[in-house]
Amino acid sequence: MAGLRTVGAIVLALAVLALLGTDVNHMVAGAMTAMVATFAIKEKEVRGQAVTLACGLPVALAAMSLGALLHTRIIAGDIFFVLLIFGAVYGRRFGDRGTALGLIGFQVYFVSLFVQATVGALPELSLTLAVAFACSAVVRFAVVPETPQRTLGRLREAFRARLAQLVAAQIELLDATPDDLDKVLDSLRRRTARLHEAALMIQGRLEEGTRDEATAARLQRRIADAEIAAERLGVILLNARSAERADTITMHLPHAPLQVAAERLPREDAATRTLRRDLSALHLLIARRGADERGMALAHVRNRLLGYRDEDKLPAASPAVQDVFRGIGEAARAVLGLRLALDGPQDASDDTPATARSREEFDAEDVAMAGLDEAGEEADDERTGLQRPTTRAAFQVAVGSTLAIIGGEFLSSQRWYWAVLTCWVVFLNTASTGEILVKGYRRLVGTVLGVVAGVALAGLVGNNTWLAFALVLLFIFGMFFTAPLSYALMSFCVTAMLGLLYTLLNTYSLAVLVLRIEETALGAACGIIAAVLVLPVHTDRRTDELLGTVLERLRDVVTAAVAQLSGGPAADLLDKARDLDSALDDLRASTQPLTHPITPLRGRRQTARYLVALLETCAYHARSLAATAELVPYSKNVAADPRLERAGKRIARNIDIIVARVVEESARGEVSSGASIASVLEANGTAGPASGTVTFRVLRHLQRLDEGVIGLARPLEVPVSGRNVGTTG
């Protein structure tokens, strides 16, 4: 949508400028300004977008005017450019609006350098900027409007589609041969991660995209239920296919071994055929939206699947396979809740007792959620001065840009600004030296490939102006479409587009594109040098900080969930679980320099992958515990058990010891191991819960969490006392 909105703004700006008889040079300036005026604004509320766009025009006019005035004053122009870069990066501390205005100021000044703006051309350039901003406003607010409600609606449909894709992958897992299992398992991991990503994106849009807090809380709960139920279904299906009880980490660690035993899940067994049919039925329930002529048939399918929650007509099979049927029942319940939240009330005339009970549970959940206090907002960053990330980044970029200007002038007195642009870009959305290094490498690779494409496209376009503009629009859309997927691909699109712009400006040559590679390499090098020498944040330090944050939030979720499962007061556990997920996503991104193929330290790469996978496993069990704990106040099947408090204390204590060791290597303490969680609970002589019950599932999640935390201790070199039983599952 961002790509369509940007391309639409550029097309409209070009059309208006063409009608006004603007020359090609100013049309290029208008197109680039329309692009930045559209993509720079990230605010969610329409009113905020309008205010930022209105403030952006005077900022753009000032930047263009100063660029023209300083065109012939090299030293003054360079000093102002560095100050502008510092201010643009520092402005990120003021939120989306500060970030947008800083980006507009920098990019429009860059446009003035690109089109070689002069004082005499300022009146026409000012009109061009005004037209570009007006066209951006028309497209943003009228042609391709972006409102929180529309965005949330698209994300909800995307979540539904991702959920259906995940169930389709689980069907493939059911039928996969041993030779195809690795490929199918990779697909299952990828689709699980994409479903999780969609859930987090919805979480970020709930407050603005729903009409009230109750609706937001209900939707958040239903999305979380569906995600957890689908992920759990994949885990227990994986367990049914494995020779022994499958480790949960297999779902999160790429290339983890899985020993298949065909006798565990016979392909022609009656139960397996029923399982295949019911998984397909679950996929149909997810994919179908609203009522249609097949509503009666769908209701019958839904009722049958929900019956598995009550052991109704559970097929005769091994315990592992029967657990899959129970998982299908839980997933069907989550799908019903998702339909109620997304599509409104459903026809209940054909409900069975199991379906009616699920509806009653949803009603009780809604009442309980309405009584919870509103969650507190996340605390602001307490760091000040040079320790503040935006301040530190501003100094780093300013120093790197100064080096890029000096070096760029030696390469080219006219196009030195490409080095500055690269230095600026490699600092965006990065927080450590390693991230900057990897981003600079990817930009250089994309630039080299883009130059090759630019040579071919220049020959194809020739003197055809409108064909060049059409290809420019195609590559601009490609920039936005590929940005979340690959930074190298995005850089390729940028460089190929620039080759076409040089063709339009009649300044194209192979030497210019080669210079682009040289300036890009120089800018990336200057950025890396600045990151290393000026207030550096080493990758190890950054990952340790984020690892500590993840562990602390994991402890918060587990402690609160166990407290509620033990009979304590109700809490907003889903918000805590989402905070854990967000912290884990940040950690995953920060470890990319350690896990990148160019990393020479293979041992560290394997350790980083293992730790992240183990934390993802712990997060899965923590989410499941949180979802189960929230059922305690109103469910007939989930009862509080005071004995669970002892298990929660052991896990929390172990996490605290690991956090202390991560923060300070000299910290002492040993992680407690030994007896299983179930045996700890049976210390008072009571028998353990039966397999298949909710209490048994809670104990299994706690056991896997306990083993996962102990598993974290070993690669982090934290001493482990006692005897560890079992493996991380």
Side-chain angles (χ1 to χ4, degrees), residues 95-216:
D96 290 336
R97 182 163 300 157
T99 301
L101 295 179
L103 187 57
I104 289 172
F106 170 82
Q107 292 286 4
V108 172
Y109 190 85
F110 173 82
V111 171
S112 73
L113 299 173
F114 187 76
V115 300
Q116 299 181 353
T118 61
V119 176
L122 271 180
E124 191 170 355
L125 281 172
S126 298
L127 176 62
T128 300
L129 295 184
V131 168
F133 270 80
C135 292
S136 176
V138 169
V139 173
R140 174 180 292 275
F141 301 121
V143 181
V144 190
E146 180 185 26
T147 64
Q149 293 76 20
R150 287 172 61 91
T151 302
L152 181 60
R154 290 196 303 270
L155 288 174
R156 285 168 15 184
E157 293 307 312
F159 181 86
R160 196 198 302 259
R162 292 297 191 197
L163 185 60
Q165 290 173 358
L166 178 56
V167 174
Q170 292 168 352
I171 296 173
E172 293 176 5
L173 177 64
L174 179 67
D175 294 328
T177 63
D179 293 337
D180 296 334
L181 190 59
D182 287 341
K183 180 180 178 181
V184 173
L185 193 54
D186 285 341
S187 175
L188 188 65
R189 292 189 188 106
R190 184 172 60 254
R191 293 182 180 181
T192 301
R194 288 177 176 174
L195 181 69
H196 180 62
E197 180 184 6
L200 285 179
M201 293 176 73
I202 290 175
Q203 171 74 14
R205 296 282 180 170
L206 281 175
E207 184 177 348
E208 298 86 2
T210 51
R211 63 179 179 270
D212 52 49
E213 293 181 4
T215 303

Side-chain angles (χ1 to χ4, degrees), residues 249-546:
I249 198 172
T250 306
M251 281 289 292
H252 302 104
L253 185 62
H255 312 301
L258 178 66
Q259 185 179 358
V260 177
E263 64 273 10
R264 280 292 292 275
L265 195 58
R267 299 192 64 179
E268 298 302 325
D269 181 74
T272 306
R273 289 194 293 270
T274 303
L275 186 57
R276 186 179 299 109
R277 180 201 65 182
D278 288 342
L279 283 172
S280 299
L282 178 63
H283 182 272
L284 180 64
L285 284 179
I286 298 169
R288 286 280 178 178
R289 291 187 296 172
D292 57 17
E293 67 276 7
R294 299 184 59 188
M296 295 287 291
L298 285 176
H300 175 73
V301 169
R302 178 199 63 204
N303 293 339
R304 186 181 76 247
L305 299 186
L306 285 171
Y308 292 144
R309 297 184 66 219
D310 294 334
E311 311 285 327
D312 184 24
K313 297 181 180 179
L314 200 65
S318 66
V321 175
Q322 285 191 333
D323 206 18
V324 179
F325 282 103
R326 296 187 188 98
I328 291 176
E330 294 293 342
R333 176 190 182 276
V335 172
L336 174 61
L338 197 61
R339 280 184 172 275
L340 291 171
L342 299 182
D343 301 330
Q346 308 286 306
D347 183 12
S349 59
D350 298 315
D351 282 0
T352 59
T355 305
R357 181 170 65 83
S358 294
R359 293 188 192 274
E360 292 171 0
E361 289 176 353
F362 289 134
D363 292 338
E365 287 178 21
D366 293 343
V367 173
M369 283 188 291
L372 288 177
D373 294 331
E374 186 176 348
E377 295 183 358
E378 192 171 329
D380 294 334
D381 196 326
E382 297 179 354
R383 289 174 288 185
T384 59
L386 295 179
Q387 294 302 315
R388 189 188 296 273
T390 50
T391 306
R392 182 178 61 245
F395 277 103
Q396 289 178 325
V397 178
V399 172
S401 299
T402 301
L403 296 175
I405 289 173
I406 296 172
E409 289 278 6
F410 281 107
L411 287 176
S412 171
S413 60
Q414 292 183 329
R415 295 187 175 85
W416 51 268
Y417 45 78
W418 290 122
V420 182
L421 180 66
T422 299
C423 181
W424 157 280
V425 169
V426 297
F427 274 96
L428 293 179
N429 300 319
T430 54
S432 69
T433 305
E435 291 179 49
I436 293 170
L437 176 62
V438 170
K439 195 170 184 180
Y441 160 78
R442 288 172 174 168
R443 186 169 183 85
L444 184 59
V445 170
T447 299
V448 172
L449 297 176
V451 164
V452 175
V455 172
L457 290 171
L460 173 66
V461 170
N463 295 322
N464 192 324
T465 300
W466 292 110
L467 176 59
F469 270 124
L471 290 174
V472 165
L473 295 175
L474 179 63
F475 280 113
I476 289 174
F477 179 81
M479 287 165 47
F480 287 92
F481 189 80
T482 59
L485 307 176
S486 169
Y487 186 72
L489 280 177
M490 189 195 76
S491 299
F492 165 81
C493 292
V494 171
T495 304
M497 176 198 69
L498 290 173
L500 291 168
L501 290 179
Y502 280 131
T503 302
L504 288 168
L505 296 173
N506 296 318
T507 56
Y508 167 80
S509 69
L510 181 59
V512 169
L513 292 182
V514 172
L515 178 63
R516 162 81 173 151
I517 295 177
E518 296 172 346
E519 296 280 4
T520 298
L522 174 65
C526 291
I528 293 168
I529 291 171
V532 170
L533 299 180
V534 181
L535 306 173
V537 177
H538 299 296
T539 303
D540 289 348
R541 174 186 163 192
R542 170 70 176 168
T543 53
D544 284 350
E545 289 179 355
L546 293 175

